[in-house]
Amino acid sequence: IQGLPQIRLYPRSVAEHKKAYHRDIQIAMPLPMMLFAMAGAQIQASQETIDQFHDSIVKIAGEVVKQRHLHTNVTHHSVFREGCRLQGHLDVPRVPGTLAIEARSTTNELVVNPAFTNLSHTIHHLSFGRPDDDLNERQSQLAQLPAVLGMHATPVAGRSFTSGRFHQGAHHYVKVVHTRDSDWHVRVYLYMHQWYMQTYARHEPPKAKISFDISPMEVVVSHSRHWYNFLTSTLALIGGAYSSVGIAYRLLGTLSDVKLNLQKKKIGVI
């Protein structure tokens, strides 16, 4: 033994880097060995002593790592404090498709552990439109639509989708519908959103998927009423009232017949 060993444990997260760049693990050695080592003398230790010293170092290091390591006794992804921010746009044809987000190496080497791949995410903005659409102009057009339709412009904005367990990833389903306002000449794309948490195999890294489908139909918003709309509404009210009165009349007739038959049985009239 020519010197004292030194073991340093470097932190994983950025928050711990601010507190301390690294942490030294102090190992206590017997006093005679320390004196001989400080004097520069070489010590010939038995194999049993070396094994005991090795076991003590492994035990001390294991206890320290157990207190600090993020993957020890972990079953949920809440221990992770770091992530990535994705931003951009895609030009896609007007056919169904799927956008998959996955952590994968560019080589064939297995450098990503599927068990610790956390696909929890927060969607700040997701919208559909033409390539030449201006964002500010789109916001002004959405303001002219009724509130019940405007809420479908970005229904997932600000929502978080957390993977509760390992080997899970959120799969989003989006139905895109073209919407236009015939009076204000507004043309936007609204969508309806559904999602579920998909479970992957242990050897397969999880993915965050967004499957989209553009509807062949469109929603037309009109603020003006024509004369035939009033006629249709009037006929609907008359037809509904006639049907309701007919049902009530038949129901009362049936009840009166039942009551009359009961009275005949009581007095013995057949």
Side-chain angles (χ1 to χ4, degrees):
I1 302 175
Q2 298 181 354
L4 297 177
Q6 184 179 22
I7 300 178
R8 286 183 174 179
L9 179 65
Y10 289 88
R12 172 187 175 90
S13 64
V14 178
E16 293 183 358
H17 269 289
K18 296 179 180 179
K19 299 178 182 178
Y21 184 72
H22 64 269
R23 179 180 177 183
D24 294 332
I25 299 179
Q26 304 295 336
I27 300 176
M29 299 181 62
L31 182 60
M33 297 180 63
M34 295 179 59
L35 294 177
F36 279 109
M38 294 174 62
Q42 295 184 359
I43 303 174
Q44 298 294 334
S46 62
Q47 185 64 34
E48 183 180 359
T49 303
I50 295 176
D51 294 339
Q52 293 178 356
F53 185 69
H54 173 268
D55 295 340
S56 63
I57 293 178
V58 172
K59 182 178 180 180
I60 295 174
E63 292 178 354
V64 176
V65 171
K66 185 177 180 180
Q67 298 174 359
R68 297 169 55 87
H69 203 276
L70 295 179
H71 294 163
T72 303
N73 298 327
V74 172
T75 57
H76 295 78
H77 283 305
S78 58
V79 297
F80 298 99
R81 304 181 182 91
E82 302 172 356
C84 304
R85 180 181 291 269
L86 301 180
Q87 181 179 357
H89 67 277
L90 296 175
D91 295 333
V92 297
R94 296 177 60 89
V95 295
T98 300
L99 171 63
I101 302 174
E102 177 186 0
R104 173 177 293 185
S105 174
T106 56
T107 62
N108 294 328
E109 299 179 0
L110 184 60
V111 297
V112 178
N113 191 343
F116 300 133
T117 303
N118 182 14
L119 266 297
S120 301
H121 56 275
T122 299
I123 300 179
H124 298 280
H125 180 80
L126 176 64
S127 61
F128 295 83
R130 294 183 294 271
D132 55 347
D133 286 346
D134 183 71
L135 184 58
N136 296 328
E137 182 181 357
R138 184 175 183 274
Q139 294 296 334
S140 62
Q141 291 182 351
L142 291 174
Q144 299 176 8
L145 292 176
V148 67
L149 294 178
M151 62 181 298
H152 292 286
T154 54
V156 297
R159 292 182 57 183
S160 297
F161 304 91
T162 305
S163 301
R165 301 287 179 180
F166 294 146
H167 307 286
Q168 288 185 346
H171 195 168
H172 304 270
Y173 293 91
V174 175
K175 188 70 172 182
V176 185
V177 182
H178 180 258
T179 305
R180 63 184 179 91
D181 193 319
S182 59
D183 296 337
W184 297 98
H185 304 288
V186 175
R187 291 180 176 271
V188 293
Y189 286 89
L190 308 180
Y191 63 91
M192 296 175 291
H193 171 261
Q194 293 179 341
W195 74 285
Y196 82 102
M197 193 62 65
Q198 182 177 357
T199 302
Y200 292 84
R202 298 182 64 88
H203 64 276
E204 182 181 1
K207 308 176 185 63
K209 297 181 180 180
I210 301 177
S211 298
F212 56 89
D213 182 17
I214 301 179
S215 175
M217 305 179 65
E218 70 173 3
V219 176
V220 180
V221 181
S222 178
H223 301 274
S224 59
R225 294 178 60 89
H226 301 280
W227 63 269
Y228 52 81
N229 291 333
F230 174 76
L231 180 61
T232 303
S233 301
T234 303
L235 293 177
L237 291 175
I238 295 175
Y242 179 80
S243 300
S244 300
V245 172
I247 294 174
Y249 178 78
R250 287 191 293 269
L251 180 60
L252 292 176
T254 303
L255 292 177
S256 62
D257 293 340
V258 172
K259 184 178 180 180
L260 181 60
N261 293 332
L262 291 176
Q263 291 177 354
K264 289 182 179 179
K265 289 181 180 180
K266 288 182 179 180
I267 61 177
V269 178
I270 301 177

